[in-house]
């Protein structure tokens, strides 16, 4: 079954110049990249992305990490699409804890746990199709994705101010 999944190269991955390595590993899946952008993650976006983990003891550190407070303030967000996309990508990412992840997985090869206990695990990938839908809709507008994956509607705006090139 064709699926879509949200992938984030987290700030440690960008800081450590791992973008190319991660994309090369992901290309083993033969999936299609259908959206990508660099995002400066706001606290609001970070908190919405990790809303299910609000009560965890590591939550505040996790928010700071994904916002880039420990590396650089950016994340590379992507949507990959194709047959069994969710499981294929999770498999290459490896286990959440980088010390337990298969050494040849992305997290196993490049991740670490800091002395503060933050899992710097380089990459995020949606765990299942419900999570993928929630996360893709959180990170991307419909027009930023080159295939139609979820139903869309039209919102007519009367007076909109937007920044344009001067
Ligand atoms: P995953 O990212 O594999 O989907 P998750 O959704 O359970 O894992 O957790 C989200 C992130 O939170 C994870 O990438 C790293 C961090 N995290 C999870 N469990 C942790 C723990 N026990 N200690 C520190 N950070 C943790
Ligand atoms: Mg998760």
């Amino acid at each position: 079954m064709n699926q879509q999944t949200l992938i984030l190269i987290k700030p440690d991955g960008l800081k450590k110049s791992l973008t190319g390595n991660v994309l090369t590993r992901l290309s083993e899946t033969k999936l299609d990249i259908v959206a990508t952008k660099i995002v400066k993650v706001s606290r609001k976006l970070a908190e919405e992305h990790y809303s299910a983990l609000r009560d965890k003891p590591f939550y505040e550190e996790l928010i700071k990490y994904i916002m880039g407070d420990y590396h650089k303030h950016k994340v590379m967000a992507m949507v990959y699409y194709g047959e069994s996309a969710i499981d294929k990508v999770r498999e290459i990412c490896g286990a959440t804890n980088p010390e337990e992840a298969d050494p040849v997985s992305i997290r196993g090869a490049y991740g670490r746990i800091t002395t503060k206990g933050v899992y710097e695990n380089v990459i995020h990938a949606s765990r299942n199709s419900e999570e993928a839908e929630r996360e893709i809709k959180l990170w991307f507008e419909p027009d930023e994705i080159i295939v139609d994956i979820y139903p869309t509607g039209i919102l007519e705006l009367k007076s909109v101010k937007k920044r344009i090139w001067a």
Side-chain angles (χ1 to χ4, degrees):
M1 193 183 47
N2 281 339
Q3 295 177 320
Q4 46 279 346
T5 187
L6 180 86
I7 301 178
L8 305 175
I9 302 180
K10 297 180 178 180
D12 53 325
L14 293 169
K15 177 88 176 184
K16 293 175 178 172
S17 289
L18 292 171
T19 312
N21 307 52
V22 170
L23 293 179
T24 300
R25 293 302 315 278
L26 291 172
S27 69
E28 289 166 21
T29 62
K30 307 274 198 291
L31 296 165
D32 270 346
I33 307 182
V34 294
T36 183
K37 62 181 173 182
I38 297 289
V39 182
K40 191 169 169 186
V41 179
S42 64
R43 175 164 277 271
K44 180 167 178 282
L45 176 57
E47 288 182 351
E48 283 179 25
H49 180 73
Y50 283 129
S51 58
L53 300 174
R54 238 184 343 249
D55 299 329
K56 300 284 184 195
F58 54 83
Y59 177 72
E60 187 53 35
E61 291 297 322
L62 179 63
I63 295 299
K64 283 193 205 155
Y65 163 47
I66 200 69
M67 288 176 67
D69 287 4
Y70 299 122
H71 303 93
K72 34 170 74 174
H73 293 107
K74 59 179 181 174
V75 153
M76 186 167 167
M78 299 175 282
V79 178
Y80 274 55
Y81 177 82
E83 178 61 37
S84 305
I86 293 171
D87 286 351
K88 279 182 185 162
V89 173
R90 286 286 302 194
E91 168 93 35
I92 287 182
C93 288
T96 304
N97 178 338
E99 283 182 3
E100 287 172 2
D102 185 327
V104 301
S105 67
I106 293 168
R107 288 167 164 181
Y110 302 121
R112 67 165 190 156
I113 303 179
T114 69
T115 48
K116 279 187 170 176
V118 177
Y119 288 8
E120 289 185 0
N121 57 9
V122 183
I123 189 165
H124 167 84
S126 309
R127 191 183 289 268
N128 55 47
S129 55
E130 292 73 36
E131 198 176 280
E133 179 169 356
R134 190 187 80 82
E135 293 176 351
I136 290 168
K137 289 179 175 176
L138 178 62
W139 287 81
F140 287 92
E141 302 277 343
D143 285 342
E144 293 177 314
I145 302 173
I146 63 161
V147 290
D148 286 331
I149 48 181
Y150 304 118
T152 55
I154 301 291
L155 173 66
E156 198 176 320
L157 299 166
K158 291 278 181 266
S159 161
V160 185
K161 275 192 187 162
K162 80 178 229 188
R163 203 150 76 106
I164 57 164
W165 303 120

